[in-house]
Amino acid sequence: MFDLILITILKAQALANKQYISIIRLLQHAEIDVESEINVARVKKQLAAEFNFSPTAIIEIDNYSYNKNDVFEELDNALFADRMAFHKAIWNNKSVLGFLEENRFSFTEFNQEIQGFYNKPELDTFISPYFAISFNVVARNYINALQFDDLGYLLSFEGFILGADREEAFRSIRIFIEENIRLLKNTSKDNFMMMRPKILHWITSDWSFFVNNLPDDFYETKEDLIIPLINLTVSIQRTNHHDCKAVSFQLNQIDEISSNLRETITNNHNIYTGNTAKTETSSGFDYSNFKWIIWVIIIGLKIIAMGGC
Protein backbone atom coordinates (compact mmCIF):
# COMPACT_ATOMS: atom_id res chain seq x y z
CA MET A 1 0.00 0.00 0.00
CA PHE A 2 2.81 2.42 0.92
CA ASP A 3 4.54 1.74 -2.43
CA LEU A 4 1.32 2.55 -4.29
CA ILE A 5 0.91 5.82 -2.38
CA LEU A 6 4.53 6.74 -3.04
CA ILE A 7 4.17 6.05 -6.77
CA THR A 8 1.03 8.20 -6.88
CA ILE A 9 2.84 11.08 -5.12
CA LEU A 10 5.84 10.82 -7.43
CA LYS A 11 3.59 10.86 -10.50
CA ALA A 12 1.83 13.96 -9.20
CA GLN A 13 5.18 15.66 -8.57
CA ALA A 14 6.40 14.73 -12.05
CA LEU A 15 3.24 16.22 -13.58
CA ALA A 16 3.70 19.38 -11.54
CA ASN A 17 7.17 19.83 -13.06
CA LYS A 18 5.95 19.66 -16.66
CA GLN A 19 5.33 22.72 -18.79
CA TYR A 20 1.80 22.75 -20.13
CA ILE A 21 1.31 21.78 -23.78
CA SER A 22 -2.17 21.68 -25.23
CA ILE A 23 -3.44 18.29 -26.36
CA ILE A 24 -5.94 20.12 -28.56
CA ARG A 25 -3.20 20.98 -31.06
CA LEU A 26 -2.26 17.31 -31.36
CA LEU A 27 -5.87 16.16 -31.75
CA GLN A 28 -6.51 18.73 -34.45
CA HIS A 29 -3.31 17.67 -36.19
CA ALA A 30 -4.69 14.12 -36.24
CA GLU A 31 -7.98 15.50 -37.63
CA ILE A 32 -9.92 14.49 -34.54
CA ASP A 33 -13.07 16.53 -33.91
CA VAL A 34 -12.48 18.11 -30.49
CA GLU A 35 -15.96 19.65 -30.37
CA SER A 36 -17.69 16.27 -30.36
CA GLU A 37 -17.63 13.75 -27.54
CA ILE A 38 -14.25 12.06 -27.47
CA ASN A 39 -14.12 8.28 -27.89
CA VAL A 40 -10.90 7.67 -25.96
CA ALA A 41 -10.30 4.15 -27.30
CA ARG A 42 -10.64 5.34 -30.88
CA VAL A 43 -8.44 8.39 -30.24
CA LYS A 44 -5.72 6.25 -28.69
CA LYS A 45 -5.74 3.93 -31.68
CA GLN A 46 -5.52 6.84 -34.10
CA LEU A 47 -2.75 8.58 -32.18
CA ALA A 48 -0.82 5.33 -31.79
CA ALA A 49 -0.69 5.16 -35.56
CA GLU A 50 0.57 8.76 -35.69
CA PHE A 51 3.31 8.05 -33.16
CA ASN A 52 4.34 4.88 -35.00
CA PHE A 53 5.50 7.06 -37.87
CA SER A 54 8.04 8.69 -35.54
CA PRO A 55 11.19 6.70 -34.62
CA THR A 56 11.50 8.73 -31.40
CA ALA A 57 7.82 8.41 -30.37
CA ILE A 58 7.65 12.21 -30.48
CA ILE A 59 5.42 14.27 -32.75
CA GLU A 60 6.54 17.83 -33.59
CA ILE A 61 3.80 20.36 -34.37
CA ASP A 62 4.63 24.05 -34.76
CA ASN A 63 7.76 23.61 -32.60
CA TYR A 64 5.80 21.86 -29.84
CA SER A 65 6.90 18.33 -28.96
CA TYR A 66 4.38 15.66 -27.98
CA ASN A 67 5.71 12.62 -26.15
CA LYS A 68 3.72 9.42 -26.60
CA ASN A 69 3.91 8.47 -22.92
CA ASP A 70 2.70 11.87 -21.76
CA VAL A 71 -0.15 11.96 -24.25
CA PHE A 72 -1.39 8.48 -23.38
CA GLU A 73 -1.06 9.20 -19.67
CA GLU A 74 -3.46 12.11 -20.18
CA LEU A 75 -5.85 10.02 -22.25
CA ASP A 76 -5.84 7.28 -19.59
CA ASN A 77 -6.75 9.72 -16.84
CA ALA A 78 -10.09 8.71 -15.33
CA LEU A 79 -11.16 12.36 -15.41
CA PHE A 80 -10.12 12.94 -19.03
CA ALA A 81 -13.62 13.98 -20.11
CA ASP A 82 -13.64 16.76 -17.51
CA ARG A 83 -10.04 17.68 -18.26
CA MET A 84 -10.85 17.92 -21.96
CA ALA A 85 -13.23 20.78 -21.16
CA PHE A 86 -10.38 22.53 -19.33
CA HIS A 87 -8.01 21.97 -22.24
CA LYS A 88 -10.55 23.54 -24.60
CA ALA A 89 -11.08 26.51 -22.30
CA ILE A 90 -7.33 27.18 -22.30
CA TRP A 91 -7.06 26.63 -26.06
CA ASN A 92 -9.79 29.16 -26.75
CA ASN A 93 -8.05 31.86 -24.70
CA LYS A 94 -4.77 32.53 -26.44
CA SER A 95 -3.25 34.78 -23.78
CA VAL A 96 -3.78 32.09 -21.15
CA LEU A 97 -2.44 29.48 -23.58
CA GLY A 98 0.63 31.60 -24.31
CA PHE A 99 1.27 32.05 -20.61
CA LEU A 100 1.10 28.31 -19.88
CA GLU A 101 2.95 27.08 -22.95
CA GLU A 102 5.49 29.83 -23.60
CA ASN A 103 5.66 31.84 -20.36
CA ARG A 104 4.33 34.94 -22.14
CA PHE A 105 2.44 37.46 -20.05
CA SER A 106 0.68 40.67 -21.00
CA PHE A 107 -1.51 41.95 -18.20
CA THR A 108 -4.26 43.60 -20.25
CA GLU A 109 -4.99 40.65 -22.53
CA PHE A 110 -4.40 38.04 -19.84
CA ASN A 111 -6.64 39.80 -17.33
CA GLN A 112 -9.45 39.99 -19.88
CA GLU A 113 -9.29 36.30 -20.79
CA ILE A 114 -8.72 34.87 -17.32
CA GLN A 115 -12.02 36.29 -16.05
CA GLY A 116 -13.83 33.21 -17.34
CA PHE A 117 -11.64 30.99 -15.16
CA TYR A 118 -12.69 32.45 -11.81
CA ASN A 119 -14.95 30.60 -9.35
CA LYS A 120 -14.34 27.21 -10.97
CA PRO A 121 -12.63 25.04 -8.32
CA GLU A 122 -12.17 22.00 -10.58
CA LEU A 123 -10.51 24.14 -13.24
CA ASP A 124 -8.29 25.74 -10.60
CA THR A 125 -7.14 22.32 -9.43
CA PHE A 126 -6.34 21.32 -13.01
CA ILE A 127 -4.50 24.49 -13.96
CA SER A 128 -2.61 25.14 -10.71
CA PRO A 129 0.55 23.01 -11.26
CA TYR A 130 1.00 24.32 -14.79
CA PHE A 131 0.23 27.89 -13.71
CA ALA A 132 2.89 27.63 -10.99
CA ILE A 133 5.63 26.69 -13.45
CA SER A 134 4.92 29.56 -15.83
CA PHE A 135 4.38 31.98 -12.96
CA ASN A 136 7.85 31.25 -11.57
CA VAL A 137 9.53 31.63 -14.98
CA VAL A 138 7.77 34.92 -15.76
CA ALA A 139 8.51 36.22 -12.24
CA ARG A 140 12.19 35.35 -12.65
CA ASN A 141 12.31 37.18 -15.99
CA TYR A 142 10.74 40.29 -14.46
CA ILE A 143 13.13 40.15 -11.51
CA ASN A 144 16.15 39.89 -13.80
CA ALA A 145 14.86 42.89 -15.77
CA LEU A 146 13.91 44.74 -12.54
CA GLN A 147 10.37 45.21 -13.92
CA PHE A 148 8.66 45.53 -10.54
CA ASP A 149 5.39 46.95 -11.88
CA ASP A 150 4.95 43.96 -14.19
CA LEU A 151 5.84 41.64 -11.32
CA GLY A 152 3.16 43.30 -9.22
CA TYR A 153 0.57 42.77 -11.96
CA LEU A 154 1.61 39.12 -12.26
CA LEU A 155 1.09 38.65 -8.52
CA SER A 156 -2.53 39.74 -8.84
CA PHE A 157 -3.22 36.27 -10.27
CA GLU A 158 -1.57 34.26 -7.50
CA GLY A 159 -4.99 32.96 -6.46
CA PHE A 160 -4.85 30.43 -9.28
CA ILE A 161 -1.95 28.67 -7.55
CA LEU A 162 -3.04 26.16 -4.94
CA GLY A 163 -1.46 24.35 -2.00
CA ALA A 164 1.94 22.80 -2.57
CA ASP A 165 2.22 24.41 -6.02
CA ARG A 166 2.79 27.78 -4.34
CA GLU A 167 6.30 26.84 -3.25
CA GLU A 168 7.35 26.33 -6.88
CA ALA A 169 5.47 29.41 -8.09
CA PHE A 170 7.10 31.80 -5.61
CA ARG A 171 10.58 30.27 -5.69
CA SER A 172 12.26 33.05 -7.70
CA ILE A 173 10.54 35.83 -5.74
CA ARG A 174 11.48 34.31 -2.41
CA ILE A 175 15.12 33.86 -3.43
CA PHE A 176 15.26 37.45 -4.67
CA ILE A 177 13.79 38.91 -1.49
CA GLU A 178 15.91 36.80 0.86
CA GLU A 179 19.08 37.73 -1.00
CA ASN A 180 18.16 41.42 -0.87
CA ILE A 181 17.38 41.25 2.84
CA ARG A 182 20.92 39.97 3.32
CA LEU A 183 22.38 42.76 1.18
CA LEU A 184 20.39 45.47 2.96
CA LYS A 185 21.33 44.19 6.40
CA ASN A 186 24.98 44.36 5.38
CA THR A 187 24.66 47.96 4.15
CA SER A 188 25.60 50.80 6.49
CA LYS A 189 26.45 54.48 6.30
CA ASP A 190 30.13 53.60 6.09
CA ASN A 191 29.90 51.17 3.18
CA PHE A 192 26.83 52.63 1.44
CA MET A 193 28.62 53.90 -1.67
CA MET A 194 30.28 50.52 -2.16
CA MET A 195 26.99 48.64 -1.67
CA ARG A 196 24.84 51.13 -3.58
CA PRO A 197 25.14 49.43 -7.01
CA LYS A 198 23.93 46.15 -5.48
CA ILE A 199 20.81 47.73 -3.96
CA LEU A 200 20.24 50.45 -6.55
CA HIS A 201 16.84 49.01 -7.54
CA TRP A 202 15.50 49.84 -4.06
CA ILE A 203 16.57 53.46 -4.61
CA THR A 204 15.69 54.20 -8.22
CA SER A 205 12.77 51.85 -8.95
CA ASP A 206 9.06 51.99 -8.13
CA TRP A 207 8.87 48.77 -6.13
CA SER A 208 6.03 49.48 -3.66
CA PHE A 209 3.33 48.09 -5.99
CA PHE A 210 5.19 44.77 -6.19
CA VAL A 211 5.67 44.55 -2.41
CA ASN A 212 2.03 45.47 -1.76
CA ASN A 213 0.89 42.68 -4.07
CA LEU A 214 2.90 40.00 -2.29
CA PRO A 215 0.49 37.29 -1.06
CA ASP A 216 -0.13 36.42 2.58
CA ASP A 217 2.54 33.71 2.25
CA PHE A 218 5.08 36.54 2.39
CA TYR A 219 3.71 38.51 5.35
CA GLU A 220 6.66 37.83 7.66
CA THR A 221 9.19 38.01 4.80
CA LYS A 222 7.69 41.34 3.75
CA GLU A 223 8.33 42.81 7.18
CA ASP A 224 11.80 41.27 7.22
CA LEU A 225 12.46 43.29 4.05
CA ILE A 226 10.89 46.52 5.27
CA ILE A 227 12.94 46.72 8.48
CA PRO A 228 16.42 46.94 6.86
CA LEU A 229 15.00 49.40 4.31
CA ILE A 230 13.84 51.62 7.18
CA ASN A 231 17.23 51.28 8.85
CA LEU A 232 18.92 52.16 5.57
CA THR A 233 17.05 55.46 5.32
CA VAL A 234 18.00 56.33 8.90
CA SER A 235 21.67 55.60 8.34
CA ILE A 236 22.01 57.65 5.12
CA GLN A 237 19.57 60.49 5.82
CA ARG A 238 22.37 63.04 6.18
CA THR A 239 25.09 61.62 3.94
CA ASN A 240 22.82 60.63 1.01
CA HIS A 241 19.61 62.52 1.57
CA HIS A 242 18.29 62.18 -1.99
CA ASP A 243 18.61 58.38 -1.88
CA CYS A 244 17.09 58.36 1.58
CA LYS A 245 13.99 60.23 0.41
CA ALA A 246 13.63 57.99 -2.66
CA VAL A 247 13.55 54.84 -0.53
CA SER A 248 11.31 56.50 2.05
CA PHE A 249 8.83 57.53 -0.66
CA GLN A 250 8.37 53.87 -1.63
CA LEU A 251 8.20 52.74 2.00
CA ASN A 252 5.50 55.31 2.68
CA GLN A 253 3.27 53.58 0.09
CA ILE A 254 3.51 50.15 1.67
CA ASP A 255 0.31 48.82 3.22
CA GLU A 256 -0.72 45.81 5.33
CA ILE A 257 2.21 45.98 7.73
CA SER A 258 2.29 46.16 11.52
CA SER A 259 1.26 49.40 13.18
CA ASN A 260 4.76 49.86 14.66
CA LEU A 261 6.35 49.74 11.23
CA ARG A 262 3.68 51.99 9.73
CA GLU A 263 4.15 54.61 12.45
CA THR A 264 7.93 54.55 12.10
CA ILE A 265 7.79 54.87 8.31
CA THR A 266 5.31 57.77 8.47
CA ASN A 267 7.24 59.67 11.15
CA ASN A 268 10.55 59.19 9.39
CA HIS A 269 9.15 60.22 6.03
CA ASN A 270 7.75 63.42 7.50
CA ILE A 271 11.19 64.22 8.85
CA TYR A 272 12.97 63.46 5.57
CA THR A 273 10.53 65.62 3.61
CA GLY A 274 10.61 68.51 6.10
CA ASN A 275 7.03 68.09 7.34
CA THR A 276 8.00 68.03 11.03
CA ALA A 277 10.08 70.06 13.39
CA LYS A 278 13.81 70.01 12.65
CA THR A 279 14.57 68.87 16.20
CA GLU A 280 12.85 65.53 15.68
CA THR A 281 15.03 62.60 14.68
CA SER A 282 14.19 59.57 12.59
CA SER A 283 14.26 56.13 14.15
CA GLY A 284 15.15 52.66 12.97
CA PHE A 285 14.40 49.18 14.21
CA ASP A 286 16.37 46.71 16.24
CA TYR A 287 15.59 43.70 14.08
CA SER A 288 16.02 41.07 16.79
CA ASN A 289 13.85 42.93 19.31
CA PHE A 290 11.11 43.49 16.74
CA LYS A 291 11.02 39.80 15.86
CA TRP A 292 10.84 38.93 19.57
CA ILE A 293 7.83 41.24 20.02
CA ILE A 294 6.06 39.65 17.04
CA TRP A 295 6.73 36.18 18.49
CA VAL A 296 5.26 37.17 21.86
CA ILE A 297 2.13 38.52 20.14
CA ILE A 298 1.72 35.28 18.17
CA ILE A 299 2.10 33.16 21.32
CA GLY A 300 -0.42 35.35 23.13
CA LEU A 301 -2.96 34.98 20.36
CA LYS A 302 -2.51 31.19 20.36
CA ILE A 303 -3.10 31.08 24.12
CA ILE A 304 -6.27 33.14 23.75
CA ALA A 305 -7.48 30.88 20.93
CA MET A 306 -6.84 27.74 22.99
CA GLY A 307 -8.77 29.20 25.89
CA GLY A 308 -11.77 29.81 23.65
CA CYS A 309 -12.06 26.24 22.36
Side-chain angles (χ1 to χ4, degrees), residues 99 134 176 197-198 219 239 245-247:
F99 176 74
S134 295
F176 169 73
K198 298 179 180 180
Y219 181 81
T239 56
K245 284 205 301 182
V247 177

Side-chain angles (χ1 to χ4, degrees), residues 218-275:
F218 283 85
Y219 181 81
E220 186 172 341
T221 304
K222 178 179 176 180
E223 299 215 330
D224 288 345
L225 172 66
I226 295 302
I227 291 171
L229 282 167
I230 292 174
N231 289 340
L232 173 66
T233 64
V234 174
S235 65
I236 66 171
Q237 60 181 307
R238 290 185 173 83
T239 56
N240 302 87
H241 188 64
H242 180 77
D243 288 351
C244 166
K245 284 205 301 182
V247 177
S248 181
F249 178 80
Q250 294 297 314
L251 283 171
N252 203 42
Q253 298 181 67
I254 299 300
D255 53 30
E256 295 186 8
I257 53 177
S258 67
S259 58
N260 287 339
L261 285 179
R262 166 49 50 209
E263 182 179 4
T264 299
I265 289 171
T266 301
N267 290 341
N268 287 357
H269 189 67
N270 287 336
I271 293 170
Y272 303 148
T273 55
N275 292 329

Side-chain angles (χ1 to χ4, degrees), residues 25-61:
R25 184 183 295 105
L26 176 62
L27 296 177
Q28 290 183 343
H29 172 78
E31 299 183 348
I32 296 170
D33 184 4
V34 298
E35 298 304 325
S36 302
E37 185 176 352
I38 297 291
N39 184 318
V40 175
R42 185 180 301 166
V43 168
K44 289 174 67 175
K45 184 177 180 180
Q46 190 168 344
L47 289 179
E50 294 278 346
F51 279 109
N52 286 339
F53 284 111
S54 171
T56 59
I58 293 176
I59 296 176
E60 294 280 346
I61 307 171

Side-chain angles (χ1 to χ4, degrees), residues 67 73 78 83 156 165 267 274:
N67 179 286
E73 181 180 347
R83 293 167 67 88
S156 62
D165 298 329
N267 290 341

Side-chain angles (χ1 to χ4, degrees), residues 220 293-303:
E220 186 172 341
I293 292 170
I294 293 295
W295 178 249
V296 169
I297 293 172
I298 293 172
I299 294 297
L301 291 174
K302 285 184 175 180
I303 293 173

